[in-house]
């Protein structure tokens, strides 16, 4: 590079004229990226709507296997982490790196807590054979034999699955209710496909968020954030809020169906 | 990035008479692979796309040669399915989608803005690596089962096919992100890095087009990404989303696929519109007619393009009401497209048209795309579409639009080649290549319109004797077309080694990429030039002593 560029402010990339221009560009870039994220999840939400519309019973049956208390706890945890993330951004804007570290640590702990609860939920599903696609336990092998029954099960025809469920129903119910329940139980693997793909993709985003927090954490320890140079925290904060918002939609759509 | 380059850049190239430029200021393969310079990244895209174009062309020739005399069984039916599928996938995902946005977009956009680079140079390099990964994976597919689903990857066949759909799906997924990130980079660059004096209505029209393309890439591509992800899940876990036997929806894949892939048509075409606007005005040396109409129509196309996907599902069992709505919106897209064509024609009117190679390609586009666009209306009309659906008519229609785009792309390469390489190509050979491409194109695809309307279905391995004349002409045309492409490649490569030295402004253009030297400085401009009207040719003067055009604010 020619020497006229050597004396630049290290925080200002050589192709930008000013901090303001650089920050505007970064912010716009982040918003556009988040738009693509929303659209990507949007595809899955459309798939969800199509199936919810075509097979309402499937969702009604499926959601009974989800633990709404764990889901609600996770919602609270993520909401709180959004607040602490916002505080970290505020502190970065003030150049208070110590406080940035503290708030990031809390946010990270929340994210970790979220993933732990997800782990508990997932292992419970796996133990019951409530898995996606052809991994779903169509023959209910794992029922009553928790913990050992999650060997991969090959796909049985759906008629078989529905016959099983007809046999194993004790309570009295009207014919219509029974028909709806059987119809719902028949397609449980699709419900869990949607559940695992949507919460799974969201979970990956949480993990990425945690990696970003570690990176910010290391930078804050070097006192890198100043009132003129805080874009990294600010934009990561935006990302984290989107991850949060996606969950706000996922929670009622899967856990609160009635 | 600088660290890697230092080893090779230590010694200034004093022995060279050539002034310092982006090509000679650093040497060695590492200085390319780790560069963040938008100009070098553009060229690296060109290298990959060149390889892909060659492969895709060879596959097309294999298909056409087989159809010359199908009774000779040059290809087995399986090989035949593989050839037309790979031709489609490669040409669309590896050549035309990235062609103008990634090669010319990267090279020209920052120069037109008088900027030193795109907004996110490292992200730009990352996009290239994503793209390169996709290309490598697509090549690996050729040797590991190939692909026989057609480029549309329709389920349920694609979720059960024994060919390597998974690898191609992953490759397209990765290249999708490359496309998204490039679009994002261009949008941010154009929006935040315009120089002093460049209001949005003083932007060169190529920038409008690049911006509109970015919008489509950002809206459409994530949906493709999730669709491919679902397809992969379907193949690995039989998740059942697209599989009626598992409780899924039979046409959901088609909806998802076309929600991306119709806009993808405009990811390919809108940048070509942008290049057209530049070629037409520079080579007629006349201000563009209807600047605002052309600019707004790019954005209108971008928006309309995401709400017409249903016209690919007319015969898939969607309700008649839905089909009628999609049909009407599809007709609406013709309006902004026609606005552009009329404005270009008005620009030509009473201009001093120079029949240079880029201009010949531009004129070829007007003709070819005109036919492609108008036959698009046939396909968009419900009653006719039921008749021509899945026939050669549709094949001819989209090749008329797509090869139209390729013509502009080649015209654009010729137009900016002096800037990119600092060398002039051979004008006569260039004109010859343009004529060959034009004649080859018409000869290949005009007969396909006719046999399509007579009922010849697409993708068939065999045909009855009554179609042999059409097929023979078509195959003959494809050889001429191939010769034209080969001549273009030869001419451009020849120019690098034997071409005359190019002046800074060989065409007398008024946009800012012509203000800097050819090839440009490593950082483009010493000081940011001030922008004026990009199509005011009165400010560019012909210097009779130097025998070249002199731009204002010469660096
Ligand atoms: Cu379309």
């Amino acid at each position: 590079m020619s020497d006229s560029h050597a004396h630049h402010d290290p925080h200002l990339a050589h192709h930008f004229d000013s901090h303001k221009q650089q920050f505007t560009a970064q912010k716009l870039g982040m918003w556009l990226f988040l738009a693509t994220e929303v659209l990507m999840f949007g595809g899955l939400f459309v798939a969800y709507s199509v199936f919810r519309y075509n097979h309402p019973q499937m969702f009604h049956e499926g959601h009974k296997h989800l633990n709404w208390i764990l889901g609600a706890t996770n919602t609270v945890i993520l909401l709180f982490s959004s607040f602490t993330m916002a505080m970290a951004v505020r502190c970065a804007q003030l150049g208070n790196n110590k406080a940035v570290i503290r708030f990031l640590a809390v946010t990270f702990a929340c994210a970790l807590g979220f993933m732990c609860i997800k782990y508990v939920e997932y292992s419970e599903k796996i133990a019951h054979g409530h898995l996606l696609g052809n991994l779903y336990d169509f023959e209910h092998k794992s029922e009553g034999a928790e913990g050992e029954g999650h060997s991969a099960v090959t796909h049985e025809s759906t008629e078989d699955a529905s016959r099983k469920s007809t046999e194993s129903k004790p309570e009295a119910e009207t014919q219509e209710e029974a028909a709806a329940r059987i119809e719902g139980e028949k397609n449980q693997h699709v419900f869990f496909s949607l559940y695992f793909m949507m919460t799974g993709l969201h979970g990956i985003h949480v993990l990425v968020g945690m990696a970003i927090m570690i990176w910010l954490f290391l930078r804050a320890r070097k006192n890198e954030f100043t009132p003129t140079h805080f874009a990294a925290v600010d934009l990561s904060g935006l990302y984290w809020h989107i991850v949060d918002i996606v969950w706000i939609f996922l929670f009622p759509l899967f856990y609160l169906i009635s | 990035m600088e660290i890697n380059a230092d080893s090779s850049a230590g010694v200034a190239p004093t022995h060279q008479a050539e002034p310092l430029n982006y090509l000679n200021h650093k040497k060695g393969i590492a200085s390319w692979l780790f560069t963040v310079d938008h100009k070098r990244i553009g060229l690296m895209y060109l290298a990959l796309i060149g390889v892909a174009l060659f492969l895709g062309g060879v596959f097309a020739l294999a298909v056409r040669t087989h159809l010359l005399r199908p009774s000779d069984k040059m290809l087995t039916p399986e090989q035949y399915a593989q050839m037309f599928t790979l031709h489609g996938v490669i040409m669309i995902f590896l050549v035309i989608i990235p062609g103008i946005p990634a090669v010319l977009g990267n090279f020209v956009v920052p120069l037109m803005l008088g900027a030193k680079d795109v907004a996110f140079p490292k992200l730009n390099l990352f996009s290239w690596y994503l793209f390169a990964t996709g290309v490598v994976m697509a090549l690996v597919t050729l040797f590991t089962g190939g692909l026989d689903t057609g480029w549309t990857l329709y389920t349920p066949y694609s979720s059960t096919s024994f060919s390597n759909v998974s690898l191609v799906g992953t490759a397209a997924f990765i290249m999708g992100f490359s496309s998204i990130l490039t679009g994002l980079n261009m949008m941010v660059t154009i929006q935040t890095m315009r120089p002093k004096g460049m209001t949005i209505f003083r932007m060169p029209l190529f920038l409008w087009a690049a911006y509109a393309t970015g919008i489509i890439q950002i809206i459409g591509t994530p949906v493709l990404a999730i669709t491919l992800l679902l397809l992969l899940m379907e193949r690995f876990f039989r998740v059942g989303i697209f599989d009626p036997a598992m409780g899924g929806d039979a046409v959901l894949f088609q909806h998802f696929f076309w929600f991306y892939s119709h806009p993808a048509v405009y990811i390919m075409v809108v940048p070509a519109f942008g290049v057209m606007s530049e070629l037409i005005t520079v080579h007629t040396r006349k201000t563009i007619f209807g600047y605002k109409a052309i600019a707004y129509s790019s954005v209108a196309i971008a928006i309309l393009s995401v709400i017409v996907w249903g016209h690919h599902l007319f015969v898939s069992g969607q309700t008649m009401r839905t089909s009628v709505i999609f049909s009407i919106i599809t007709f609406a897209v013709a309006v902004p497209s026609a606005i552009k064509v009329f404005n270009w024609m008005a620009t030509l009117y009473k201009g001093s048209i120079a029949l240079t190679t880029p201009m010949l390609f531009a004129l070829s586009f007007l003709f070819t795309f005109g036919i492609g666009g108008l036959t698009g209306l046939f396909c968009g009309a419900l009653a006719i579409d039921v008749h021509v659906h899945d026939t050669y008519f549709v094949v001819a229609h989209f090749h008329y639009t797509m090869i139209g785009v390729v013509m502009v792309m080649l015209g654009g390469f010729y137009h900016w080649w002096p800037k990119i390489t600092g060398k002039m190509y051979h004008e006569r050979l260039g004109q010859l290549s343009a004529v060959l491409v034009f004649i080859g194109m018409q000869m290949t695809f005009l007969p396909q319109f006719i046999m399509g309307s007579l009922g010849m279905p697409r993708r068939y391995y065999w045909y009855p004797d009554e179609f042999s004349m059409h097929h023979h002409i078509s195959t003959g045309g494809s050889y001429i077309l191939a010769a034209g492409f080969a001549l273009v490649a030869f001419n451009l490569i020849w120019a690098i080694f034997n071409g005359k030295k190019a002046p800074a402004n060989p065409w007398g253009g008024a946009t800012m990429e012509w203000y800097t030297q050819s090839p440009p400085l490593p950082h483009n401009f010493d000081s940011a030039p001030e922008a004026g009207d990009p199509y005011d040719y009165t400010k560019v003067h012909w210097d009779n002593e130097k025998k070249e055009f002199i731009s204002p604010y010469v660096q």
Side-chain angles (χ1 to χ4, degrees), chain B residues 230-546:
Chain B
L230 286 171
L231 178 60
L232 292 176
M233 296 298 281
E234 194 76 63
R235 280 180 72 82
F236 291 134
F237 299 113
R238 307 280 320 276
V239 288
I241 304 282
F242 298 137
D243 183 1
M246 300 279 283
D249 189 297
V251 289
L252 188 60
F253 180 86
Q254 298 184 22
H255 280 287
F256 275 178
F257 181 82
W258 288 111
F259 183 82
Y260 165 75
S261 291
H262 185 84
V265 170
Y266 292 97
I267 294 178
M268 306 183 232
V269 173
V270 172
F273 287 161
V275 174
M276 265 303 277
S277 303
E278 302 301 326
L279 298 188
I280 289 277
T281 113
V282 173
H283 294 269
T284 41
R285 309 211 30 80
K286 184 160 165 267
T287 307
I288 192 88
F289 184 90
Y291 174 96
K292 281 196 179 177
I294 295 182
Y296 282 133
S297 60
S298 286
V299 180
I301 290 173
I303 293 165
L304 283 173
S305 73
V306 294
I307 48 174
V308 297
W309 77 89
H311 61 219
H312 295 272
L313 287 92
F314 285 162
V315 297
S316 72
Q318 75 187 356
T319 63
M320 188 47 78
R321 192 194 306 151
T322 317
S323 290
V324 168
I325 292 170
F326 276 123
S327 180
I328 292 170
I329 308 175
T330 301
F331 274 72
V333 185
V335 175
S337 307
I339 287 176
K340 282 176 184 293
V341 171
F342 291 134
N343 280 302
W344 292 324
M345 281 166 35
T347 307
L348 292 172
Y349 181 67
K350 286 190 177 170
S352 62
I353 301 172
L355 288 178
T356 53
T357 311
M359 188 58 169
L360 286 178
F361 274 111
L363 294 175
S364 304
F365 172 84
L366 267 186
F367 184 84
T368 310
F369 189 81
I371 293 180
L374 288 172
T375 51
L377 291 176
F378 292 39
C379 300
L382 276 172
I384 301 173
D385 184 66
V386 173
H387 178 67
V388 299
H389 186 88
D390 265 343
T391 68
Y392 266 83
F393 190 89
V394 177
V395 175
H397 153 67
F398 69 70
H399 278 89
Y400 261 85
T401 57
M402 293 294 101
I403 297 188
V405 170
V406 174
M407 284 168 168
V408 180
M409 185 169 91
L410 298 179
F413 289 162
Y414 273 118
H415 179 72
W416 281 294
W417 205 246
K419 183 57 64 183
I420 294 173
T421 62
K423 299 288 177 57
M424 296 304 290
Y425 59 86
H426 194 289
E427 188 61 63
R428 283 274 165 236
L429 275 185
Q431 288 164 328
L432 179 64
S433 67
V435 171
L436 280 180
V437 168
F438 180 77
I439 294 175
M441 157 75 212
Q442 311 305 329
M443 208 174 130
T444 310
F445 295 103
L446 214 51
Q448 297 193 2
F449 274 127
I450 300 166
M451 61 177 150
S453 59
L454 292 174
M456 172 79 208
R458 68 192 286 200
R459 292 178 175 173
Y460 271 34
Y461 178 72
W462 197 270
Y463 55 82
D465 283 342
E466 61 190 278
F467 292 115
S468 43
M469 188 188 75
H470 304 99
H471 274 293
H472 290 171
I473 297 174
S474 183
T475 302
S478 72
Y479 296 150
I480 298 178
L481 187 55
F485 282 131
L487 194 55
V488 173
F490 170 79
N491 198 353
L492 294 180
I493 295 169
W494 175 88
I496 297 174
F497 300 105
N498 302 309
K500 267 193 302 182
K501 203 185 159 330
N505 192 353
W507 314 119
T511 44
M512 285 203 273
E513 77 271 28
W514 306 112
Y515 291 10
T516 182
Q517 65 180 39
S518 301
L521 299 164
H523 51 276
N524 298 350
F525 301 94
D526 272 332
S527 58
E530 205 167 313
D533 181 345
Y535 300 113
D536 177 9
Y537 293 101
T538 57
K539 67 187 179 185
V540 185
H541 299 290
W542 175 257
D543 186 323
N544 233 340
E545 276 168 32
K546 287 189 186 167

